[in-house]
Amino acid sequence: LIVCLMLALPAFSVLAQDSGDLFVAETGVADEGSETRNTALSQLLAVVLGRVSGNTGIAGQPAARDLLAAAPSLVQEYRYRTDDFDGKLVRYLWARFDQSAVERMMRERNLPVWVQRPRVLLWVATERGGKRVLLNLENEPQARAAVVDRARQVGMPLQLPLMDLEDQTKLTPADLWSDYQSGIRLASARYPHQWVLAGRLSAQRGGKWSGAWSLIGRDDSQGFQAPAQGLDDALAFAIDQAQKLL
């Protein structure tokens, strides 16, 4: 019976982050010397501050300077690894920072700490040559990787729809294109979420896409326009703009 119930449950593609994951980062380094390591740790902490605050530019604020300088003392653990990249070994530094210490120092400097992170469900419709379709990111692995990576960079719990028969029955490209929010909310009800990010991307010359987006909540919504960009950049741009609105 348990097996049957498990098989009956939909395997939602949830990409939400645990709060501890926000404090983990990795970057390439030239060597394992202490000077290189300390510089890299400051860079990694800058990434962490962007996630924790929800503002990717926060590391450039004067209040963050001494916090970044203290990065080596805020590390709980770090380690190196190597990877083969086109026949050349590349070295990486991985680090986990102390969550309580980082958050305390941020609050002491009046830097924002984003505690309640709403889960965002992503729907996208595309138009090319007069034909509109729902975008299934499982068929666009590079674009999927780009949007997932950007969501992780900014600490956004992102959920992707299954794009199964139920989704395709409940939601049509026309619903997204007309910004039919009642229909979008109805189709989204099967997924746990607090906000829906719904996009309409039109194909342009040179493999670029221009778009209009809606960030839809329970009772309200906000919209924004996107310039013509490659698909990867267009999706990453939408994540950034939604993050700012949230």
Side-chain angles (χ1 to χ4, degrees):
L1 178 60
I2 293 176
V3 173
C4 292
L5 289 172
M6 292 177 65
L7 290 174
L9 293 173
F12 292 148
S13 182
V14 180
L15 305 168
Q17 290 181 293
D18 180 83
S19 61
D21 293 340
L22 301 176
F23 295 82
V24 173
E26 184 180 66
T27 188
V29 290
D31 56 63
E32 297 184 13
S34 59
E35 184 175 348
T36 300
R37 180 174 63 251
N38 290 340
T39 299
L41 289 174
S42 293
Q43 296 169 348
L44 293 178
L45 182 56
V47 173
V48 167
L49 295 183
R51 293 177 186 158
V52 176
S53 67
N55 177 2
T56 55
I58 196 172
Q61 297 184 14
R65 290 174 184 167
D66 60 336
L67 203 162
L68 294 175
S73 66
L74 295 172
V75 174
Q76 283 186 325
E77 57 178 316
Y78 71 85
R79 59 176 176 264
Y80 294 95
R81 70 177 181 88
T82 57
D83 199 1
D84 190 318
F85 184 75
D86 289 340
K88 181 181 178 181
L89 286 180
V90 180
R91 183 183 288 104
Y92 293 92
L93 172 63
W94 176 96
R96 179 186 297 277
F97 292 90
D98 186 321
Q99 178 174 348
S100 60
V102 170
E103 289 183 346
R104 184 186 71 252
M105 292 185 70
M106 290 178 69
R107 290 191 173 98
E108 289 172 352
R109 290 155 180 78
N110 293 318
L111 296 173
V113 176
W114 192 12
V115 178
Q116 299 297 328
R117 294 173 181 266
R119 181 174 297 168
V120 178
L121 173 64
L122 178 68
W123 296 105
V124 183
T126 61
E127 180 182 56
R128 185 198 297 271
K131 183 179 180 181
R132 295 171 179 172
V133 298
L134 292 177
L135 179 64
N136 186 347
L137 286 173
E138 293 299 328
N139 298 331
E140 299 285 348
Q142 183 173 318
R144 185 184 189 280
V147 73
V148 169
D149 183 61
R150 184 55 60 91
R152 284 175 176 159
Q153 287 178 25
V154 300
M156 175 189 287
L158 180 68
Q159 181 163 314
L160 301 179
L162 295 172
M163 298 305 297
D164 57 7
L165 185 59
E166 181 175 347
D167 282 344
Q168 296 176 51
T169 300
K170 287 185 175 180
L171 189 69
T172 68
D175 293 332
L176 288 178
W177 219 263
S178 62
D179 199 24
Y180 178 45
Q181 296 187 8
S182 294
I184 294 171
R185 289 189 177 99
L186 182 62
S188 302
R190 68 185 296 208
Y191 298 101
H193 69 283
Q194 285 74 48
W195 290 85
V196 176
L197 180 58
R200 306 171 290 282
L201 298 178
S202 299
Q204 308 294 323
R205 292 181 178 179
K208 295 186 177 181
W209 300 82
S210 61
W213 295 83
S214 297
L215 185 62
I216 305 169
R218 182 184 299 274
D219 301 311
D220 63 345
S221 67
Q222 302 178 71
F224 58 90
Q225 300 292 317
Q229 305 170 86
L231 182 58
D232 299 1
D233 291 334
L235 293 171
F237 176 88
I239 293 295
D240 286 344
Q241 293 301 113
Q243 180 84 339
K244 291 176 183 178
L245 291 174
L246 289 172

